[in-house]
Amino acid sequence: MSTDPVAISKILPEGTAGFVDHIGIAVRDMDESIALYRDLLGLELELLEEVPSENIQVAFLKLDRGGALGHVELLAPLSNEGNIAAFIEKKGPGLHHIAFAAENIETVLERCREAGMRLLDEKPRTGARGKQIAFLHPKSGGGVLIEICRDPED
Ligand code: ZN
């Protein structure tokens, strides 16, 4: 059960997931990708950091126009090791995950668990920007890797 991606809208607690926090994109070349999103598309580069535990470099670019706020997260492997390198090897660069903001990740994970969904993270962990994050398995997300992250407003 629970391979229906629509189910996620019922699982995320009401009122806590009003927006997509960011869209994660796996890239081969960080400089080229920043040139695309910042220099051509006009997003603001907010953060560029290495996440050694994941063997990746991460860039967060902010979309901020008329009060609508969102981010694009670029994920570039630092070597041939790790999940992002494996993803690019298998599928090529491109859309990697979609992240929903939630007030309480534990609550979301508990609801997903009760619904029989597969979790990649049993507990929230610290990701880029020092934010608490957890991933659901793409098999339970209709083929989409779904990240739940803590609302930056908190
Ligand atoms: Zn992410």
Side-chain angles (χ1 to χ4, degrees), residues 13-73:
E14 214 167 292
T16 61
F19 62 95
V20 170
D21 184 75
H22 63 271
I23 291 167
I25 299 169
V27 305
R28 272 205 186 97
D29 186 310
M30 185 58 88
D31 293 338
E32 251 176 42
S33 301
I34 287 174
L36 168 64
Y37 286 97
R38 182 188 60 194
D39 305 336
L40 290 173
L41 295 176
L43 278 71
E44 180 190 329
L45 180 61
E46 211 175 50
L47 174 87
L48 183 61
E49 71 178 20
E50 290 191 2
V51 183
S53 60
E54 312 258 348
N55 200 36
I56 53 172
Q57 186 180 35
V58 172
F60 268 89
L61 294 109
K62 189 165 77 169
L63 275 165
D64 190 1
R65 189 172 296 162
L69 178 67
H71 290 85
V72 168
E73 175 183 37

Side-chain angles (χ1 to χ4, degrees), residues 97-137:
H97 66 271
I98 182 163
F100 295 97
E103 270 176 20
N104 190 325
I105 301 175
E106 299 270 11
T107 305
V108 175
L109 292 181
E110 192 50 44
R111 288 178 190 207
C112 291
R113 212 176 275 123
E114 281 169 10
M117 295 178 76
R118 281 174 70 184
L119 310 179
L120 289 175
D121 295 298
E122 290 297 326
K123 294 190 301 188
R125 60 187 168 88
T126 304
R129 300 183 290 173
K131 279 174 82 163
Q132 290 297 295
I133 62 168
F135 283 92
L136 312 181
H137 197 286

